[in-house]
Amino acid sequence: MKRDLISAADLTRDDAVLILDTAEEMARVADRPIKKLPTLRGRTVVNLFFEDSTRTRISFEAAAKRLSADVINFSAKGSSVSKGESLKDTALTLEAMGADAVVIRHPDSGAPHRLATSGWIGGSVVNAGDGTHEHPTQALLDAFTMRRRLVGVDAGLGKDLAGCRITIVGDILHSRVARSNVHLLTTLGAEVTLVAPPTLVPIGVESWPCEVSYDLDAVLATSDAVMMLRVQRERMNAAFFPTEREYARRYGLDGERMARMPQDAIVMHPGPMNRGMEITAEVADSPRCTAVEQVTNGVSIRMAVLYLLLGGNEPALTTPARTEESK
Amino acid sequence: MSKTLIRGAKVLGGEPQDVLIDGETIAEVGTDLSAEGARVIEADGQILLPGLVDLHTHLREPGREDSETVLTGTKAAAAGGFTAVHAMANTFPVADTAGVVEQVWRLGQESGYCDVQPVGAVTVGLEGKKLAELGAMHESRAGVRVFSDDGKCVDDAVIMRRALEYVKAFDGVVAQHAQEPRLTEGAQMNEGRVSAELGLGGWPAVAEESIIARDVLLAAHVGSRVHICHLSTAGSVEIVRWAKSKGWNVTAEVTPHHLLLTDELVRSYDPVYKVNPPLRTEADVLALREALADGTIDCVATDHAPHPHEDKDCEWSAAAMGMVGLETALSVVQHTMVDNGLLDWAGVADRMSFRPARIGRLESHGRPVSAGEPANLTLHDSAYRGVVDPAGFASRSRNTPYEGRELPGRVTHTFLRGRATVVDGKLA
């Protein structure tokens, strides 16, 4: 039985489908007048954020509160080292306070993995984004959004994303969202294509289970979903691309490009958007863009993850036996 | 005069012989030597090697005595079969003046476990801007001949050229830490498949190879000698092989860990595997072994880099780079080179004693095991099998990547100028 959610690569197809199905149940709670379940009453969830991310933090906070958990927000801005307190001591402190789950956001790749494997802490660890490594709950909410839109809310229950063609565009090199999505979407049967200038594709990408293209226009017509990643303007200063305008021209999604996508294809963005950079306002505000929906779905997904990890009698994220039954 | 008879030792892996030590020198090597008046050590087929010489050791003193001191570091060296180590210059203060190198040299003399040959910094404060007083360090009692900014690359081509030229006056050598700084900004591990997945900043092979290529050309141009520290890639091997084929005065070292470990281990995010240059791929490991076997790489150097526990008991990016290596070096070399037939024990003597002593111009180390030579000797039980337990290390630090791993062989005795520094596997 898994106790932590560190990497999307750790999820089997059935684990992932169970999380998506559970998230559908959680989404229904959100439609009620009282948006609250008693499931995690008396449990403590700590949001341990070493990096500013109000969006992700409040999403986890809302998720935990809707499940009636006690939530502690621990904001340790800057690196643990510059702060003078080590990750280890912070972890031991949280352990002493009786944290049942620690949701960690950290600027260093691998920090959640260390937290979960070092023996510093007994509770569950949920990776809320680590450096340029992974952001598994973002990938889950992306997959949830795709399943709802491309397969159907009810029709999608129990199903994966087999046959869906997903294109992820932007700064793949520095993107934890891209890494988690490549793992999860391929696990769910989707075909993934990464699009970026060659400078923003990692050396070693050839071992990833996806295609890589340097040409956005070449893949638009065969994309059921196009996910635009935020591109930081500072990257320009490190010569990853010449100018913002050139980036936007070659890799930005505008109305003209969107029109060449299949009719029911969607545009996704994990936010926050750089309007005018990777996405134009016209596309961002169009009904095909799911950016706001993704935020809503994020709460449902995080409820599902916390519920499955901490849900008492329920097996967390399925045991092998459970995997067999759910087929 | 105290005498010791080592009976039945395979000298450099050859037929069992007796070796009689009288005072500070080897008196006789032969069969059925008389034990009269001598303490007898039954070697029983163990391998007798010339005392090992390390070209690359971080003893941390002065400045970081919390991780190692000259005394604890030389104890670790003796335990690992070393009789001479080169103490790297990246201390606090940096060993960039005659005063600091003499201090380190004196601490080595006082320790008595292993000779300490200080390495001098190439540039003031290892900053790569201004040549340190290389001549003064050479003329000091420390007699420095090896200069290195190790930990940092002498990346300015003009400074490197001048250093190479300048040390010719006293037969010095510049030991380069080959790392192009711009290509390795934020680097955390080898750049490749694993770094792509783990999202850790990449340290590309080309950052090492481009500096080596430049420096062998510079050394050839000014007619000096250059030594390449901790070679870690297959491409670096090719460049050194090419330079040697030209007859240029280039030498190179490889660390034990680069002969055994790969970047796959970083998947654990356990900083015990964090080291600079980083662990590379299987293909690199195999190329390094082959190059050490054929002599393209001259020697094994430990890059023994002690760090206190807290500097490794943290997240990967915050952790210090480096591994201790003195006490496991010979076992790793046996495992990666000898047990698979790539190198015989005479080869080990060459790569871990003769050649590094010659590169460092040490006169009383790396000598043949024969009558009249200084009695700097290491007796190694190659049949032993044991699990590495850092709790038993003589080093003050425990940051070994081999904890819990079974490695072959152990040093049973070490002699420094006839005096036993290790007896039956324990420090004397």
Side-chain angles (χ1 to χ4, degrees), chain B residues 330-341:
Chain B
L330 190 52
S331 288
V332 173
V333 169
Q334 181 184 338
H335 176 60
T336 58
M337 300 297 296
V338 180
D339 287 352
N340 55 18

Side-chain angles (χ1 to χ4, degrees), chain A residues 80-81 87-88 106 108-110 113-114 120 132-133 179 202-204 207-208, chain B residues 191-193 196-200 267-271 312-315 317-318:
Chain A
S80 55
V81 170
L87 179 62
K88 178 181 179 175
H106 201 287
D108 294 339
S109 301
H113 185 278
R114 279 293 275 166
W120 298 331
T132 55
H133 178 223
R179 279 174 181 75
I203 297 285
S207 64
W208 293 11
Chain B
E191 182 167 70
R193 290 173 169 217
E197 280 182 48
L198 297 185
L200 288 170
R267 290 184 189 281
S268 66
Y269 286 106
D270 186 339
K312 288 289 190 180
D313 192 26
C314 56
E315 54 273 38
S317 304

